[in-house]
Amino acid sequence: MSHVSGVHFLQIPGPTNVPERVLRAIDRATIDHRGPGFAALTLEIAEQIKPVFATAGPVVIYAASGTGAWEAALVNTLSPGDRVLMVETGQFAALWSKLATRLGLEVEVIPGDWRHGVDPDAVAARLSDDRAHAIKAVAIVHNETSTGVTSRVADVRAAIDRTGHPALFFVDTISSLASIDYRHDEWGVDVTVGGSQKGLMLPPGLAFNAVSEKALAASRSARMPRSYWAWDEILAANRDGYFPYTPATNLLYGLREALHMLHEEGLQNVFARHARHGEATRRAARGWGLELLALDPREYSNTLTALLVPDGADADALRATILDRFDMSLGVGLGKLKGRVFRIGHLGSFNDLMLAGTLSGVQMGLELSGIAHGDGVSPALAYLANPTPALAAV
Ligand SMILES: *Cc1c(COP(=O)(O)O)cnc(C)c1O
């Protein structure tokens, strides 16, 4: 392979670009995870990570990909044969329901068109019908990474509350955490699932469960078999700054640095930055004349944008051209969207000029691929130069 000069643009919606500060933090000698120096690291992270989930409660950290934290949420709180209500917002929601089925849970799926988020009224209607309270949990994806649709979690919570149904509430925030406003405590979420490689700007390898009091109580009577994922031993060891087994020490160095960076910038500023980049990307899409997969403006994702290519065009060929010519990776169309959709990730360690380069690469790729398009870069740059009125609808 010949050398490719300059910086690779990793504009898939995770893993995201890992900033130098995080790389340098990871690049240190591994220490004894049972020694005194290690406890200070764990205890600092345990406090600094709480505002990222907007919780006062504990956050369990696993050496795993995000999928592990899905499994952890289910096996810690449920019993074999329990009924779980899920909503098919896209590929990730479908994979979570498949995982739950494989674990022996009874999964009931509210079907979806992969262009909308969770309909709060549909969840409420199903829960109202469930007078016997057979449904033990509602599990949804906050930001559906396959479609670029962000569900309105607060509205789903309010809809559940209207029914008075006692089901637990689980939310996957793997591609929204530390990028899009999210509030574990305020929105009454029982388990929030997170991962390291998207908004948290880390390499893959850490996964999270933020856990409510209600979820902890459920875990005491839950009968799903669990060992590696069991919260009780981890939380007990964490109290003194340790883990029951070897943690991913160097990724924890990186996590500490990433948390410092997020707090230095300020979480509200981080959310505003992602909102600005989401809006600029959507303006580019309009300029190109490409259709957004997301149909409801209330649900536009600020961490990624999924775009449909015109009939007869091949999104994978476009992505291959852009990778070959401009050394930029874009997200593939997942599941039934294969070939019809490409996704632009604009999350994590990212700024205006990186977005300008990303959008330029897409526009040149459209040109080279012979896909009819207008100028999307100019309206996006005009917006980035003067992003006021902030996020007004266009
Ligand atoms: C990336 C992602 C996952 C999968 O996480 P892995 O780390 O690949 O296991 C799950 N859900 C959402 C919403 C994601 O974006």
Side-chain angles (χ1 to χ4, degrees), residues 17 21 29 58 72 97 105 174 207 271 339 359:
N17 298 290
R21 270 179 70 175
S97 60
L105 295 163
I174 294 175
F271 301 150
L359 298 175

Side-chain angles (χ1 to χ4, degrees), residues 13-14 64-68 70 92 141-146 172-175 195 197-198 204:
S65 90
T67 303
W70 273 349
F92 288 99
V141 173
H142 181 208
N143 186 72
E144 177 51 76
T145 322
S146 60
D172 167 351
T173 64
I174 294 175
S175 64
Q197 74 272 30
K198 303 187 185 179

Side-chain angles (χ1 to χ4, degrees), residues 89 114-120 140-156 171-173 175-177 179-182 187 274 278 282 293-306 346:
T89 47
W114 291 41
R115 300 192 74 171
H116 290 87
V118 176
D119 176 357
I140 64 168
V141 173
H142 181 208
N143 186 72
E144 177 51 76
T145 322
S146 60
T147 62
V149 170
T150 306
S151 286
R152 292 165 289 137
V153 176
D155 292 354
V156 177
V171 181
D172 167 351
T173 64
S175 64
S176 53
L177 193 71
S179 319
I180 299 171
D181 187 18
Y182 180 79
W187 296 346
H274 284 84
R282 293 187 290 273
L293 190 61
L295 286 176
D296 184 340
R298 294 175 302 175
E299 299 175 334
Y300 286 160
S301 170
N302 287 331
T303 59
L304 78 134
T305 301
H346 35 78

Side-chain angles (χ1 to χ4, degrees), residues 373-388:
H373 64 91
D375 175 16
V377 170
S378 296
L381 296 191
Y383 176 76
L384 287 174
N386 186 19
T388 51

Side-chain angles (χ1 to χ4, degrees), residues 186-228:
E186 187 182 323
W187 296 346
V189 179
D190 292 301
V191 186
T192 297
V193 170
S196 57
Q197 74 272 30
K198 303 187 185 179
L200 282 175
M201 309 179 286
L202 295 164
L206 294 178
F208 308 93
N209 277 177
V211 179
S212 74
E213 283 292 339
K214 185 174 164 186
L216 276 179
S219 75
R220 289 185 197 110
S221 54
R223 285 179 288 101
M224 295 285 285
R226 59 186 179 273
S227 175
Y228 183 79

